[in-house]
Amino acid sequence: MQRQARTLYRIDRAGRLRLIPDLTAAESEWEPAPRFFLGRTAQGNVWHFRHDLPRQVTVELDALCRSEPPLQVGQEPGIARQIREVLGAGEEYRGPAYLLPWQTDTGQAVAISPDTAHLLLPAFPGTARRALAGHGGPVTAVIENGQAVAVCSSVRQSGPASPGGAAEAGVFTLEQSRGQGYAAQVTALWANLVRAQGRLPLYSTSWENTASQAVAHRLNGQWFGEDWSIK
C-alpha cells in the first residue's frame, strides 16, 4: 500500500502529499494532491496529508487514522464521519486496489512503439504523442482496421525500473468496441511489460465501477486494499 500511495502521488521527505504525477500531462499541469489519503489493508493502514494543511488539523487527522482498525471488507472506514467533519466538504474517491500477476493470455493486444504510435490515431491523440516520445510506456493496444480501439498505458509511475518501482494502469476502450474483452487484453500485456521493466503493475478503480473491477478479476488481480481520498 505504501508503494501504491507513492505511485498515485508525489510525496515529499516529510511524508506529505504534494502533486498527482499524471503522465498524461506536462509536469507544469499536474494537479495538487488531495488533502487526505488513507490506504487500508488487512495488515494495517497507510495515511498521508497534504503539505499545506495546518498542523493542528494534521495532528487531529493523525490521531483518528491511528484509531482505525485494519480493513474490513465492504465497510466504510469507521473514522469516515469524523474525518469529514475535520476537513469539511470535498470530492471523495474510494475503491479497491489490485496487484496484477504475470498474464498467460494477452489476446489480440500488441505493444506500441514510436514506430507504431500512428495506430493510436485519431482516437487516442494524447497517448499517441506519449508513445511517439517514449513517455508513459509501456503502451499497449488492440488494433482493428489499422486503428486502435482499446489502449492501456502507465498513467502514474514511481521509482526507477527496479523492485521498488510501480506503475498504475490507465485503460480506455472506444464505446463501440466495448464488451469484447479488449480492456482485459491490453491490460494483460501492459502488466507483463511493466513486470519486465522491474516494476509492479498496479490497477485501481472505484467501488461504483463494476466493469473496471471485472477486468481486474478476469486478470486474477490480487486485491490488497482500498484507497480513500478527499480533495
Side-chain angles (χ1 to χ4, degrees):
M1 181 54 74
Q2 190 63 264
R3 290 187 187 181
Q4 171 84 353
R6 293 186 177 276
T7 301
L8 295 178
Y9 308 112
R10 176 69 60 83
I11 300 176
D12 63 24
R13 292 183 178 180
R16 299 299 177 88
L17 302 173
R18 289 279 176 173
L19 297 167
I20 299 175
D22 184 357
L23 298 183
T24 68
E27 188 167 349
S28 60
E29 300 173 355
W30 289 359
E31 296 181 5
R35 291 175 295 163
F36 170 82
F37 169 82
L38 175 65
R40 300 196 294 160
T41 77
Q43 291 73 42
N45 305 322
V46 170
W47 56 91
H48 294 279
F49 317 126
R50 200 167 67 197
H51 67 96
D52 54 357
L53 285 181
R55 175 171 172 74
Q56 180 179 352
V57 172
T58 62
V59 169
E60 189 171 357
L61 292 173
D62 184 70
L64 288 170
C65 289
R66 290 181 184 279
S67 71
E68 178 67 22
L71 175 63
Q72 301 295 314
V73 179
Q75 294 185 7
E76 183 179 73
I79 58 173
R81 178 183 59 81
Q82 296 161 284
I83 294 290
R84 294 182 184 116
E85 289 176 353
V86 173
L87 290 174
E91 182 181 347
E92 295 188 30
Y93 171 94
R94 191 164 71 91
Y98 303 88
L99 172 64
L100 300 180
W102 283 98
Q103 303 293 315
T104 58
D105 183 8
T106 58
Q108 301 178 52
V110 297
I112 298 297
S113 69
D115 291 337
T116 58
H118 64 278
L119 297 175
L120 303 177
L121 299 172
F124 307 101
T127 308
R129 287 193 296 271
R130 290 191 295 135
L132 185 62
H135 294 159
V139 177
T140 61
V142 168
I143 309 297
E144 287 187 342
N145 300 318
Q147 294 180 342
V149 296
V151 298
C152 183
S153 65
S154 301
V155 292
R156 303 188 197 179
Q157 189 168 276
S158 64
S162 69
E168 180 79 18
V171 190
F172 192 83
T173 304
L174 298 183
E175 186 173 358
Q176 66 270 22
S177 298
R178 293 174 185 172
Q180 301 183 59
Y182 292 161
Q185 292 175 28
V186 294
T187 307
L189 180 57
W190 172 87
N192 285 352
L193 295 175
V194 167
R195 284 190 171 276
Q197 289 180 336
R199 292 187 171 95
L200 294 179
L202 304 177
Y203 183 101
S204 57
T205 186
S206 68
W207 286 119
E208 295 75 22
N209 194 340
T210 55
S212 183
Q213 292 174 50
V215 171
H217 297 158
R218 182 170 177 176
L219 301 178
N220 296 314
Q222 176 190 346
W223 178 70
F224 63 86
E226 176 190 85
D227 301 327
W228 180 39
S229 63
I230 301 178
K231 288 188 176 181

